Amino acid sequence: QVQLVESGGGLVQPGGSLRLSCAASGSIFRINVMGWYRQAPGKQRELVARVTSGGSTNYADSVKGRFTISRDNAKNTVYLQTNNLNPEDTAVYYCNAVLSQENNPSYFANYWGQGTQVTVSS
């Protein structure tokens, strides 16, 4: 069994910051990509940022310069530092990992966390 557990969401005023964390646990063999997606009410889930095991990153245009994704491979953990938040960033943020398990090291699949709410409001 693999679990992704997010933390760090909450209510913040416009211009504020939050740091989201996501830890993967279980019978993990290898994690290729870890990332963050978000889904606002009435909208489709969208990519926010992702990072490869080698440290390459890419970001949605709407968050470039404000959000920073990082990863601790030893802890199987990914972080999202969000700065200068605005109401359009309000959404449920989901952690994602593309990984393989110990019982089948060559098969990679998508795993999702349960989501953490980020609300930006004055």
Side-chain angles (χ1 to χ4, degrees):
Q1 287 283 13
V2 172
Q3 279 190 316
L4 302 182
V5 179
E6 300 114 330
S7 61
L11 173 64
V12 62
Q13 292 186 340
S17 300
L18 286 173
R19 188 185 193 219
L20 307 184
S21 300
C22 170
S25 62
S27 57
I28 297 168
F29 179 77
R30 179 188 174 97
I31 303 178
N32 276 354
V33 180
M34 298 189 82
W36 291 93
Y37 289 71
R38 67 186 181 186
Q39 187 166 19
K43 294 188 177 181
Q44 289 188 334
R45 190 174 297 190
E46 62 175 2
L47 172 69
V48 176
R50 60 188 174 195
V51 57
T52 68
S53 56
S56 298
T57 59
N58 63 296
Y59 295 89
D61 287 343
S62 60
V63 307
K64 283 181 181 176
R66 299 189 298 123
F67 292 10
T68 302
I69 191 169
S70 60
R71 176 172 168 174
D72 186 333
N73 290 329
K75 295 182 179 179
N76 289 337
T77 299
V78 64
Y79 306 96
L80 186 69
Q81 178 66 43
T82 67
N83 297 328
N84 195 20
L85 287 160
N86 59 61
E88 290 70 39
D89 296 315
T90 295
V92 178
Y93 283 68
Y94 295 92
C95 177
N96 171 265
V98 179
L99 59 86
S100 66
Q101 296 193 59
E102 292 174 347
N103 62 357
N104 195 351
S106 62
Y107 176 74
F108 287 83
N110 261 311
Y111 291 83
W112 295 92
Q114 79 285 355
T116 185
Q117 177 71 46
V118 171
T119 302
V120 185
S121 175
S122 55

